[in-house]
Amino acid sequence: MQGRLIRWAVTAALAGFLFGFDTVVISGAEKTIQELWSLRPAVHGLAMSMALWGTVAGSLVGSIPTDLFGRRKTLLSIGILYFVSAVWSGLATDATSFMIARFIGGLGVGISTVVAPLFISEISPAQYRGRLAGMFQFNIVFGILIAFVSNSLIGGIGENAWRWMLGVEAIPALIYSLMCFSLPESPRWLIGRKGDRATAAGVLQKIHPEMTGEQITAKVDEIANAATEAQKSPGSLGKRLRLPILLALLIAFFNQLSGINAILYFAPRIFELTGLGAKAALLQSVGIGVTNLIFTFVGLWLIDRLGRRTLLYIGSFGYIASLGLCAWAFFTYAPQFNVATRSIELSTAVGKMTAAEGAAGYTDKDRAALRESYESARNAWLAATADEKYLGGPVTLPAGATSEFVDQLAKSTLQTAAQYTGAGSKLVLFCIFAFIAAHAVGQGAVIWVFISEIFPNRQRALGQSLGSFTHWIFAALLTLCFPIAITSFPPGYVFGFFCFMMVLQLVWVKLMVPETKGRALEQLEHGLVETPT
């Protein structure tokens, strides 16, 4: 594989790095933002999901600039959107301004999921297409890892740390935008949309330097003939594209119904549910990023060897085992997890209330609200310890107990609960990491490659947009609903639901999914698209 081709694929795939960084960097700032602007759970969920709603919009319209202006110019525009969003998010002064900025970044993410894997797929030789197009996913998880690391490093610099967490993305966005100037245009877009055979032949010669002039001409003719056949079909996504449409919809649907984005975005909060402190939970989130990166690399190594369908099988079995065990752990250790979590929340409430006493910048109303939060946390903590299934026994407070005394008792209770949650916490931790590994090898490595392969050249951008839109509409809905679900239902039910959906995915892979490994895009078109009559 030549260096020029790798460089082009890496540059386009860097849109995935910004995608991963932008969507996950919010995990280190979401609790601070909720407290800073006193957001209700529903408003908090909307603020956290606003980037995803932008992504939904971007994925829905992403095919328009991709087909109208070309793959190269569209890739360049993504960097500009990311840059504006990063700077604006870091400077936001209220929830409304923040949500607008996040929406703009979401547009960049949505458009990138349409154009980047599509561009890489169109410039890649069939035998390398899985690995090269899969670099988009590799860069997504690399961006996720760097976002977790960045949050961990920046998190302790002061009360405005969250602004730096979000604003630092402007640097890679600028670098990516400059690198896009070195990209060529997709030869399939040049032939199918512009009719520019000469320029396309020049790009194909750079992609396939081993080919003779006659072979390049034959390749141009093959692409042109496929585009001509697509123009004869009734409608851009008509009856003849029924199978590719269904495959794109279902792979995107199952990707999100695994719970992957909910777990990535709210990883620190999930670990806190097991009794881990906020700092430990954030460090465990960095571990998630490392696991994701390593196993995505494994997936890329396997995708052109074992094939897309086999990786989906492997991922499905891993999903079912890890999510099922996680649900069991949350059910089995629920009372112990609840006490540990309530103890942490109570100590946090005491710290905030104490900091506000006599401090400038707090009104009497603010202090009253903090006192009310403290009392609510204390009552929830007492109720949790009173559960007959809690192994540490109930806690009673003497009359007139001070907040300092309550804080010390809460910390002591946390240590007691930790003795009983140790095995449960380790099991949840193991299951979450196993879940991430299964996703990285299976759905994570396959989804963007698969969608970019199954549509005809002329309808590929529109088909990619359809798959991306489905993916992101469910991601937005899950991110909006997850904070409510995780507080309204026991975590075991939530993880059990995701496990059930992965059983359905396994059935779908068995019954419907074709293998696309090693086949030219034009060959796949003839195999998956119905011939018009």
Side-chain angles (χ1 to χ4, degrees), residues 59-229:
S59 64
L60 186 61
V61 303
S63 64
I64 298 174
T66 301
D67 277 339
L68 187 61
F69 303 113
R71 287 44 165 156
R72 181 176 180 270
K73 290 180 180 178
T74 305
L75 285 166
L76 177 60
S77 69
I78 291 169
I80 298 172
L81 291 174
Y82 282 129
F83 181 85
V84 171
S85 173
V87 174
W88 192 340
S89 297
L91 297 176
T93 56
D94 56 64
T96 301
S97 177
F98 174 79
M99 285 191 275
I100 294 172
R102 293 291 295 162
F103 185 85
I104 292 172
L107 287 175
V109 172
I111 297 172
S112 75
T113 58
V114 174
V115 66
L118 180 154
F119 172 81
I120 300 172
S121 182
E122 290 186 338
I123 66 170
S124 300
Q127 67 270 29
Y128 302 127
R129 191 174 59 242
R131 275 168 281 181
L132 290 176
M135 289 173 64
F136 179 70
Q137 176 66 19
F138 181 83
N139 274 277
I140 292 173
V141 298
F142 185 49
I144 289 171
L145 173 61
I146 296 302
F148 279 137
V149 172
S150 175
N151 286 351
S152 182
L153 294 175
I154 296 175
I157 67 173
E159 63 180 11
N160 287 320
W162 69 272
R163 296 187 181 277
W164 288 102
M165 288 180 184
L166 299 171
V168 73
E169 184 187 350
I171 298 173
L174 182 60
I175 295 172
Y176 162 77
S177 299
L178 294 174
M179 292 179 66
C180 281
F181 286 103
S182 67
L183 294 175
E185 185 50 85
S186 162
R188 287 177 167 87
W189 181 81
L190 288 168
I191 295 170
R193 291 286 173 176
K194 299 287 286 184
D196 189 349
R197 295 170 60 98
T199 305
V203 176
L204 285 170
Q205 189 67 71
K206 293 178 180 179
I207 294 171
H208 302 281
E210 76 285 356
M211 286 188 175
T212 64
E214 291 77 12
Q215 290 173 319
I216 292 294
T217 300
K219 186 69 176 175
V220 170
D221 289 339
E222 180 185 16
I223 296 171
N225 291 337
T228 301
E229 289 180 14

Side-chain angles (χ1 to χ4, degrees), residues 4-17:
R4 179 192 290 119
L5 185 60
I6 295 174
R7 185 173 68 253
W8 291 343
V10 168
T11 299
L14 285 177
F17 174 87

